[in-house]
PDB file of all heavy atoms in Angstrom:
ATOM      1  N   GLU A   1       9.966 -30.677 -11.498  1.00  0.00           N
ATOM      2  CA  GLU A   1      10.302 -29.960 -10.256  1.00  0.00           C
ATOM      3  C   GLU A   1       9.630 -28.590 -10.226  1.00  0.00           C
ATOM      4  O   GLU A   1       9.125 -28.163  -9.188  1.00  0.00           O
ATOM      5  CB  GLU A   1      11.813 -29.821 -10.096  1.00  0.00           C
ATOM      6  CG  GLU A   1      12.506 -31.115  -9.751  1.00  0.00           C
ATOM      7  CD  GLU A   1      11.977 -31.755  -8.474  1.00  0.00           C
ATOM      8  OE1 GLU A   1      11.818 -31.042  -7.469  1.00  0.00           O
ATOM      9  OE2 GLU A   1      11.733 -32.970  -8.490  1.00  0.00           O
ATOM     10  N   TYR A   2       9.644 -27.910 -11.360  1.00  0.00           N
ATOM     11  CA  TYR A   2       8.975 -26.608 -11.442  1.00  0.00           C
ATOM     12  C   TYR A   2       7.483 -26.751 -11.181  1.00  0.00           C
ATOM     13  O   TYR A   2       6.893 -25.987 -10.416  1.00  0.00           O
ATOM     14  CB  TYR A   2       9.217 -25.975 -12.821  1.00  0.00           C
ATOM     15  CG  TYR A   2       8.303 -24.818 -13.108  1.00  0.00           C
ATOM     16  CD1 TYR A   2       8.542 -23.570 -12.549  1.00  0.00           C
ATOM     17  CD2 TYR A   2       7.183 -24.987 -13.910  1.00  0.00           C
ATOM     18  CE1 TYR A   2       7.690 -22.505 -12.795  1.00  0.00           C
ATOM     19  CE2 TYR A   2       6.324 -23.934 -14.155  1.00  0.00           C
ATOM     20  CZ  TYR A   2       6.587 -22.696 -13.593  1.00  0.00           C
ATOM     21  OH  TYR A   2       5.725 -21.648 -13.836  1.00  0.00           O
ATOM     22  N   GLN A   3       6.862 -27.744 -11.813  1.00  0.00           N
ATOM     23  CA  GLN A   3       5.423 -27.938 -11.655  1.00  0.00           C
ATOM     24  C   GLN A   3       5.053 -28.335 -10.231  1.00  0.00           C
ATOM     25  O   GLN A   3       3.981 -27.990  -9.753  1.00  0.00           O
ATOM     26  CB  GLN A   3       4.906 -28.977 -12.650  1.00  0.00           C
ATOM     27  CG  GLN A   3       4.769 -28.451 -14.056  1.00  0.00           C
ATOM     28  CD  GLN A   3       3.762 -27.335 -14.165  1.00  0.00           C
ATOM     29  OE1 GLN A   3       2.781 -27.255 -13.441  1.00  0.00           O
ATOM     30  NE2 GLN A   3       4.004 -26.435 -15.105  1.00  0.00           N
ATOM     31  N   LYS A   4       5.923 -29.077  -9.550  1.00  0.00           N
ATOM     32  CA  LYS A   4       5.674 -29.408  -8.141  1.00  0.00           C
ATOM     33  C   LYS A   4       5.528 -28.131  -7.330  1.00  0.00           C
ATOM     34  O   LYS A   4       4.553 -27.951  -6.595  1.00  0.00           O
ATOM     35  CB  LYS A   4       6.823 -30.252  -7.571  1.00  0.00           C
ATOM     36  CG  LYS A   4       6.807 -31.688  -7.975  1.00  0.00           C
ATOM     37  CD  LYS A   4       8.003 -32.415  -7.361  1.00  0.00           C
ATOM     38  CE  LYS A   4       8.077 -33.825  -7.904  1.00  0.00           C
ATOM     39  NZ  LYS A   4       9.201 -34.586  -7.351  1.00  0.00           N
ATOM     40  N   LYS A   5       6.505 -27.250  -7.451  1.00  0.00           N
ATOM     41  CA  LYS A   5       6.485 -25.999  -6.694  1.00  0.00           C
ATOM     42  C   LYS A   5       5.303 -25.127  -7.089  1.00  0.00           C
ATOM     43  O   LYS A   5       4.593 -24.600  -6.230  1.00  0.00           O
ATOM     44  CB  LYS A   5       7.796 -25.239  -6.917  1.00  0.00           C
ATOM     45  CG  LYS A   5       9.013 -25.941  -6.366  1.00  0.00           C
ATOM     46  CD  LYS A   5      10.275 -25.219  -6.767  1.00  0.00           C
ATOM     47  CE  LYS A   5      11.502 -26.033  -6.398  1.00  0.00           C
ATOM     48  NZ  LYS A   5      12.715 -25.470  -6.967  1.00  0.00           N
ATOM     49  N   PHE A   6       5.106 -24.983  -8.391  1.00  0.00           N
ATOM     50  CA  PHE A   6       4.041 -24.110  -8.882  1.00  0.00           C
ATOM     51  C   PHE A   6       2.666 -24.602  -8.449  1.00  0.00           C
ATOM     52  O   PHE A   6       1.832 -23.814  -7.991  1.00  0.00           O
ATOM     53  CB  PHE A   6       4.112 -24.024 -10.413  1.00  0.00           C
ATOM     54  CG  PHE A   6       3.042 -23.167 -11.015  1.00  0.00           C
ATOM     55  CD1 PHE A   6       3.130 -21.795 -10.952  1.00  0.00           C
ATOM     56  CD2 PHE A   6       1.950 -23.741 -11.641  1.00  0.00           C
ATOM     57  CE1 PHE A   6       2.142 -20.998 -11.493  1.00  0.00           C
ATOM     58  CE2 PHE A   6       0.957 -22.957 -12.188  1.00  0.00           C
ATOM     59  CZ  PHE A   6       1.059 -21.577 -12.120  1.00  0.00           C
ATOM     60  N   SER A   7       2.407 -25.901  -8.565  1.00  0.00           N
ATOM     61  CA  SER A   7       1.080 -26.415  -8.225  1.00  0.00           C
ATOM     62  C   SER A   7       0.815 -26.361  -6.727  1.00  0.00           C
ATOM     63  O   SER A   7      -0.325 -26.133  -6.309  1.00  0.00           O
ATOM     64  CB  SER A   7       0.881 -27.826  -8.776  1.00  0.00           C
ATOM     65  OG  SER A   7       1.820 -28.712  -8.241  1.00  0.00           O
ATOM     66  N   ILE A   8       1.834 -26.532  -5.899  1.00  0.00           N
ATOM     67  CA  ILE A   8       1.656 -26.407  -4.450  1.00  0.00           C
ATOM     68  C   ILE A   8       1.325 -24.960  -4.085  1.00  0.00           C
ATOM     69  O   ILE A   8       0.385 -24.701  -3.316  1.00  0.00           O
ATOM     70  CB  ILE A   8       2.912 -26.899  -3.698  1.00  0.00           C
ATOM     71  CG1 ILE A   8       3.028 -28.420  -3.807  1.00  0.00           C
ATOM     72  CG2 ILE A   8       2.875 -26.462  -2.242  1.00  0.00           C
ATOM     73  CD1 ILE A   8       4.345 -28.967  -3.300  1.00  0.00           C
ATOM     74  N   ILE A   9       2.070 -24.021  -4.625  1.00  0.00           N
ATOM     75  CA  ILE A   9       1.818 -22.603  -4.350  1.00  0.00           C
ATOM     76  C   ILE A   9       0.431 -22.204  -4.836  1.00  0.00           C
ATOM     77  O   ILE A   9      -0.327 -21.528  -4.123  1.00  0.00           O
ATOM     78  CB  ILE A   9       2.918 -21.725  -4.988  1.00  0.00           C
ATOM     79  CG1 ILE A   9       4.246 -21.961  -4.273  1.00  0.00           C
ATOM     80  CG2 ILE A   9       2.535 -20.249  -4.950  1.00  0.00           C
ATOM     81  CD1 ILE A   9       5.450 -21.365  -4.974  1.00  0.00           C
ATOM     82  N   ARG A  10       0.072 -22.622  -6.043  1.00  0.00           N
ATOM     83  CA  ARG A  10      -1.246 -22.296  -6.594  1.00  0.00           C
ATOM     84  C   ARG A  10      -2.365 -22.876  -5.730  1.00  0.00           C
ATOM     85  O   ARG A  10      -3.365 -22.196  -5.458  1.00  0.00           O
ATOM     86  CB  ARG A  10      -1.349 -22.831  -8.028  1.00  0.00           C
ATOM     87  CG  ARG A  10      -2.673 -22.513  -8.694  1.00  0.00           C
ATOM     88  CD  ARG A  10      -2.774 -23.133 -10.060  1.00  0.00           C
ATOM     89  NE  ARG A  10      -2.634 -24.572  -9.950  1.00  0.00           N
ATOM     90  CZ  ARG A  10      -2.136 -25.340 -10.902  1.00  0.00           C
ATOM     91  NH1 ARG A  10      -1.722 -24.823 -12.033  1.00  0.00           N
ATOM     92  NH2 ARG A  10      -2.040 -26.646 -10.735  1.00  0.00           N
ATOM     93  N   THR A  11      -2.202 -24.109  -5.270  1.00  0.00           N
ATOM     94  CA  THR A  11      -3.222 -24.747  -4.432  1.00  0.00           C
ATOM     95  C   THR A  11      -3.403 -23.989  -3.121  1.00  0.00           C
ATOM     96  O   THR A  11      -4.534 -23.746  -2.688  1.00  0.00           O
ATOM     97  CB  THR A  11      -2.839 -26.215  -4.159  1.00  0.00           C
ATOM     98  OG1 THR A  11      -2.712 -26.895  -5.411  1.00  0.00           O
ATOM     99  CG2 THR A  11      -3.881 -26.907  -3.305  1.00  0.00           C
ATOM    100  N   ILE A  12      -2.318 -23.605  -2.500  1.00  0.00           N
ATOM    101  CA  ILE A  12      -2.395 -22.848  -1.241  1.00  0.00           C
ATOM    102  C   ILE A  12      -3.112 -21.514  -1.464  1.00  0.00           C
ATOM    103  O   ILE A  12      -3.975 -21.120  -0.668  1.00  0.00           O
ATOM    104  CB  ILE A  12      -0.982 -22.643  -0.648  1.00  0.00           C
ATOM    105  CG1 ILE A  12      -0.418 -23.982  -0.174  1.00  0.00           C
ATOM    106  CG2 ILE A  12      -1.004 -21.622   0.483  1.00  0.00           C
ATOM    107  CD1 ILE A  12       1.054 -23.942   0.181  1.00  0.00           C
ATOM    108  N   ILE A  13      -2.774 -20.833  -2.541  1.00  0.00           N
ATOM    109  CA  ILE A  13      -3.415 -19.545  -2.833  1.00  0.00           C
ATOM    110  C   ILE A  13      -4.913 -19.727  -3.084  1.00  0.00           C
ATOM    111  O   ILE A  13      -5.733 -18.955  -2.572  1.00  0.00           O
ATOM    112  CB  ILE A  13      -2.726 -18.854  -4.033  1.00  0.00           C
ATOM    113  CG1 ILE A  13      -1.330 -18.386  -3.625  1.00  0.00           C
ATOM    114  CG2 ILE A  13      -3.560 -17.691  -4.551  1.00  0.00           C
ATOM    115  CD1 ILE A  13      -0.472 -17.897  -4.770  1.00  0.00           C
ATOM    116  N   TYR A  14      -5.280 -20.739  -3.858  1.00  0.00           N
ATOM    117  CA  TYR A  14      -6.703 -20.977  -4.139  1.00  0.00           C
ATOM    118  C   TYR A  14      -7.493 -21.257  -2.864  1.00  0.00           C
ATOM    119  O   TYR A  14      -8.576 -20.708  -2.661  1.00  0.00           O
ATOM    120  CB  TYR A  14      -6.874 -22.145  -5.105  1.00  0.00           C
ATOM    121  CG  TYR A  14      -6.574 -21.842  -6.553  1.00  0.00           C
ATOM    122  CD1 TYR A  14      -6.177 -20.584  -6.985  1.00  0.00           C
ATOM    123  CD2 TYR A  14      -6.669 -22.838  -7.515  1.00  0.00           C
ATOM    124  CE1 TYR A  14      -5.898 -20.328  -8.307  1.00  0.00           C
ATOM    125  CE2 TYR A  14      -6.410 -22.589  -8.845  1.00  0.00           C
ATOM    126  CZ  TYR A  14      -6.016 -21.330  -9.232  1.00  0.00           C
ATOM    127  OH  TYR A  14      -5.749 -21.092 -10.555  1.00  0.00           O
ATOM    128  N   PHE A  15      -6.964 -22.126  -2.001  1.00  0.00           N
ATOM    129  CA  PHE A  15      -7.677 -22.431  -0.756  1.00  0.00           C
ATOM    130  C   PHE A  15      -7.716 -21.210   0.171  1.00  0.00           C
ATOM    131  O   PHE A  15      -8.723 -20.959   0.829  1.00  0.00           O
ATOM    132  CB  PHE A  15      -7.059 -23.633  -0.033  1.00  0.00           C
ATOM    133  CG  PHE A  15      -7.557 -24.950  -0.542  1.00  0.00           C
ATOM    134  CD1 PHE A  15      -6.699 -25.844  -1.161  1.00  0.00           C
ATOM    135  CD2 PHE A  15      -8.891 -25.314  -0.400  1.00  0.00           C
ATOM    136  CE1 PHE A  15      -7.161 -27.068  -1.635  1.00  0.00           C
ATOM    137  CE2 PHE A  15      -9.355 -26.534  -0.867  1.00  0.00           C
ATOM    138  CZ  PHE A  15      -8.491 -27.406  -1.486  1.00  0.00           C
ATOM    139  N   ALA A  16      -6.629 -20.445   0.223  1.00  0.00           N
ATOM    140  CA  ALA A  16      -6.601 -19.238   1.056  1.00  0.00           C
ATOM    141  C   ALA A  16      -7.620 -18.216   0.566  1.00  0.00           C
ATOM    142  O   ALA A  16      -8.295 -17.557   1.367  1.00  0.00           O
ATOM    143  CB  ALA A  16      -5.204 -18.632   1.061  1.00  0.00           C
ATOM    144  N   LEU A  17      -7.758 -18.103  -0.744  1.00  0.00           N
ATOM    145  CA  LEU A  17      -8.731 -17.177  -1.317  1.00  0.00           C
ATOM    146  C   LEU A  17     -10.157 -17.592  -0.956  1.00  0.00           C
ATOM    147  O   LEU A  17     -10.968 -16.748  -0.549  1.00  0.00           O
ATOM    148  CB  LEU A  17      -8.556 -17.112  -2.836  1.00  0.00           C
ATOM    149  CG  LEU A  17      -9.317 -16.043  -3.590  1.00  0.00           C
ATOM    150  CD1 LEU A  17      -8.906 -14.661  -3.097  1.00  0.00           C
ATOM    151  CD2 LEU A  17      -9.041 -16.170  -5.072  1.00  0.00           C
ATOM    152  N   SER A  18     -10.461 -18.877  -1.062  1.00  0.00           N
ATOM    153  CA  SER A  18     -11.792 -19.365  -0.690  1.00  0.00           C
ATOM    154  C   SER A  18     -12.058 -19.143   0.797  1.00  0.00           C
ATOM    155  O   SER A  18     -13.162 -18.723   1.185  1.00  0.00           O
ATOM    156  CB  SER A  18     -11.935 -20.856  -1.013  1.00  0.00           C
ATOM    157  OG  SER A  18     -11.976 -21.056  -2.395  1.00  0.00           O
ATOM    158  N   LEU A  19     -11.064 -19.400   1.607  1.00  0.00           N
ATOM    159  CA  LEU A  19     -11.214 -19.189   3.051  1.00  0.00           C
ATOM    160  C   LEU A  19     -11.410 -17.706   3.367  1.00  0.00           C
ATOM    161  O   LEU A  19     -12.244 -17.352   4.222  1.00  0.00           O
ATOM    162  CB  LEU A  19      -9.992 -19.743   3.790  1.00  0.00           C
ATOM    163  CG  LEU A  19     -10.038 -19.686   5.307  1.00  0.00           C
ATOM    164  CD1 LEU A  19     -11.208 -20.535   5.835  1.00  0.00           C
ATOM    165  CD2 LEU A  19      -8.734 -20.191   5.883  1.00  0.00           C
ATOM    166  N   ALA A  20     -10.672 -16.842   2.684  1.00  0.00           N
ATOM    167  CA  ALA A  20     -10.811 -15.396   2.906  1.00  0.00           C
ATOM    168  C   ALA A  20     -12.206 -14.913   2.502  1.00  0.00           C
ATOM    169  O   ALA A  20     -12.816 -14.101   3.212  1.00  0.00           O
ATOM    170  CB  ALA A  20      -9.734 -14.643   2.126  1.00  0.00           C
ATOM    171  N   ILE A  21     -12.723 -15.403   1.390  1.00  0.00           N
ATOM    172  CA  ILE A  21     -14.067 -15.015   0.960  1.00  0.00           C
ATOM    173  C   ILE A  21     -15.103 -15.472   1.981  1.00  0.00           C
ATOM    174  O   ILE A  21     -16.022 -14.723   2.340  1.00  0.00           O
ATOM    175  CB  ILE A  21     -14.369 -15.579  -0.443  1.00  0.00           C
ATOM    176  CG1 ILE A  21     -13.512 -14.872  -1.488  1.00  0.00           C
ATOM    177  CG2 ILE A  21     -15.855 -15.439  -0.787  1.00  0.00           C
ATOM    178  CD1 ILE A  21     -13.556 -15.492  -2.856  1.00  0.00           C
ATOM    179  N   TYR A  22     -14.946 -16.683   2.476  1.00  0.00           N
ATOM    180  CA  TYR A  22     -15.871 -17.178   3.499  1.00  0.00           C
ATOM    181  C   TYR A  22     -15.782 -16.318   4.764  1.00  0.00           C
ATOM    182  O   TYR A  22     -16.798 -15.937   5.349  1.00  0.00           O
ATOM    183  CB  TYR A  22     -15.569 -18.640   3.840  1.00  0.00           C
ATOM    184  CG  TYR A  22     -16.384 -19.154   4.986  1.00  0.00           C
ATOM    185  CD1 TYR A  22     -17.719 -19.497   4.807  1.00  0.00           C
ATOM    186  CD2 TYR A  22     -15.838 -19.256   6.262  1.00  0.00           C
ATOM    187  CE1 TYR A  22     -18.488 -19.951   5.877  1.00  0.00           C
ATOM    188  CE2 TYR A  22     -16.594 -19.698   7.329  1.00  0.00           C
ATOM    189  CZ  TYR A  22     -17.918 -20.048   7.136  1.00  0.00           C
ATOM    190  OH  TYR A  22     -18.671 -20.470   8.188  1.00  0.00           O
ATOM    191  N   ALA A  23     -14.557 -16.007   5.200  1.00  0.00           N
ATOM    192  CA  ALA A  23     -14.364 -15.219   6.417  1.00  0.00           C
ATOM    193  C   ALA A  23     -14.952 -13.814   6.273  1.00  0.00           C
ATOM    194  O   ALA A  23     -15.572 -13.299   7.219  1.00  0.00           O
ATOM    195  CB  ALA A  23     -12.878 -15.138   6.764  1.00  0.00           C
ATOM    196  N   ILE A  24     -14.789 -13.205   5.119  1.00  0.00           N
ATOM    197  CA  ILE A  24     -15.362 -11.872   4.884  1.00  0.00           C
ATOM    198  C   ILE A  24     -16.887 -11.928   4.979  1.00  0.00           C
ATOM    199  O   ILE A  24     -17.513 -11.070   5.613  1.00  0.00           O
ATOM    200  CB  ILE A  24     -14.908 -11.307   3.513  1.00  0.00           C
ATOM    201  CG1 ILE A  24     -13.420 -10.966   3.564  1.00  0.00           C
ATOM    202  CG2 ILE A  24     -15.733 -10.090   3.114  1.00  0.00           C
ATOM    203  CD1 ILE A  24     -12.814 -10.656   2.212  1.00  0.00           C
ATOM    204  N   GLY A  25     -17.479 -12.940   4.368  1.00  0.00           N
ATOM    205  CA  GLY A  25     -18.935 -13.093   4.425  1.00  0.00           C
ATOM    206  C   GLY A  25     -19.419 -13.334   5.839  1.00  0.00           C
ATOM    207  O   GLY A  25     -20.431 -12.754   6.277  1.00  0.00           O
ATOM    208  N   TYR A  26     -18.724 -14.165   6.572  1.00  0.00           N
ATOM    209  CA  TYR A  26     -19.121 -14.477   7.950  1.00  0.00           C
ATOM    210  C   TYR A  26     -18.949 -13.250   8.849  1.00  0.00           C
ATOM    211  O   TYR A  26     -19.812 -12.940   9.677  1.00  0.00           O
ATOM    212  CB  TYR A  26     -18.299 -15.644   8.494  1.00  0.00           C
ATOM    213  CG  TYR A  26     -18.773 -16.131   9.835  1.00  0.00           C
ATOM    214  CD1 TYR A  26     -19.872 -16.978   9.930  1.00  0.00           C
ATOM    215  CD2 TYR A  26     -18.142 -15.724  11.007  1.00  0.00           C
ATOM    216  CE1 TYR A  26     -20.321 -17.416  11.159  1.00  0.00           C
ATOM    217  CE2 TYR A  26     -18.577 -16.152  12.232  1.00  0.00           C
ATOM    218  CZ  TYR A  26     -19.671 -17.008  12.309  1.00  0.00           C
ATOM    219  OH  TYR A  26     -20.127 -17.436  13.534  1.00  0.00           O
ATOM    220  N   TYR A  27     -17.844 -12.528   8.657  1.00  0.00           N
ATOM    221  CA  TYR A  27     -17.572 -11.343   9.466  1.00  0.00           C
ATOM    222  C   TYR A  27     -18.591 -10.234   9.182  1.00  0.00           C
ATOM    223  O   TYR A  27     -19.047  -9.556  10.100  1.00  0.00           O
ATOM    224  CB  TYR A  27     -16.151 -10.850   9.197  1.00  0.00           C
ATOM    225  CG  TYR A  27     -15.788  -9.593   9.939  1.00  0.00           C
ATOM    226  CD1 TYR A  27     -15.532  -9.626  11.295  1.00  0.00           C
ATOM    227  CD2 TYR A  27     -15.709  -8.371   9.275  1.00  0.00           C
ATOM    228  CE1 TYR A  27     -15.200  -8.474  11.991  1.00  0.00           C
ATOM    229  CE2 TYR A  27     -15.387  -7.215   9.958  1.00  0.00           C
ATOM    230  CZ  TYR A  27     -15.135  -7.266  11.311  1.00  0.00           C
ATOM    231  OH  TYR A  27     -14.827  -6.129  11.990  1.00  0.00           O
ATOM    232  N   SER A  28     -18.950 -10.055   7.909  1.00  0.00           N
ATOM    233  CA  SER A  28     -19.854  -8.951   7.560  1.00  0.00           C
ATOM    234  C   SER A  28     -21.318  -9.232   7.927  1.00  0.00           C
ATOM    235  O   SER A  28     -22.064  -8.299   8.225  1.00  0.00           O
ATOM    236  CB  SER A  28     -19.737  -8.608   6.080  1.00  0.00           C
ATOM    237  OG  SER A  28     -20.173  -9.687   5.293  1.00  0.00           O
ATOM    238  N   THR A  29     -21.750 -10.499   7.921  1.00  0.00           N
ATOM    239  CA  THR A  29     -23.155 -10.804   8.223  1.00  0.00           C
ATOM    240  C   THR A  29     -23.358 -11.466   9.569  1.00  0.00           C
ATOM    241  O   THR A  29     -24.473 -11.512  10.069  1.00  0.00           O
ATOM    242  CB  THR A  29     -23.753 -11.722   7.135  1.00  0.00           C
ATOM    243  OG1 THR A  29     -23.067 -12.964   7.135  1.00  0.00           O
ATOM    244  CG2 THR A  29     -23.711 -11.062   5.773  1.00  0.00           C
ATOM    245  N   GLY A  30     -22.311 -12.022  10.144  1.00  0.00           N
ATOM    246  CA  GLY A  30     -22.423 -12.698  11.429  1.00  0.00           C
ATOM    247  C   GLY A  30     -22.971 -14.111  11.329  1.00  0.00           C
ATOM    248  O   GLY A  30     -23.190 -14.770  12.334  1.00  0.00           O
ATOM    249  N   THR A  31     -23.157 -14.613  10.124  1.00  0.00           N
ATOM    250  CA  THR A  31     -23.663 -15.965   9.914  1.00  0.00           C
ATOM    251  C   THR A  31     -23.062 -16.549   8.630  1.00  0.00           C
ATOM    252  O   THR A  31     -22.579 -15.815   7.766  1.00  0.00           O
ATOM    253  CB  THR A  31     -25.206 -15.979   9.828  1.00  0.00           C
ATOM    254  OG1 THR A  31     -25.654 -17.322   9.630  1.00  0.00           O
ATOM    255  CG2 THR A  31     -25.725 -15.097   8.716  1.00  0.00           C
TER     256      THR A  31
END
């Protein structure tokens, strides 16, 4: 049960971080 919660939270954070890095790059260069 602990690992279910932990792995879901970790997965969301990892994908959000990748999306944020992409958005920063797109916003700063326009491409």
Side-chain angles (χ1 to χ4, degrees):
E1 288 302 314
Y2 166 78
Q3 283 297 329
K4 283 179 187 180
K5 294 173 189 170
F6 179 76
S7 61
I8 289 170
I9 292 169
R10 181 184 59 209
T11 302
I12 292 169
I13 290 171
Y14 283 0
F15 276 116
L17 190 60
S18 290
L19 184 62
I21 291 170
Y22 174 77
I24 290 169
Y26 187 80
Y27 177 74
S28 65
T29 63
T31 180

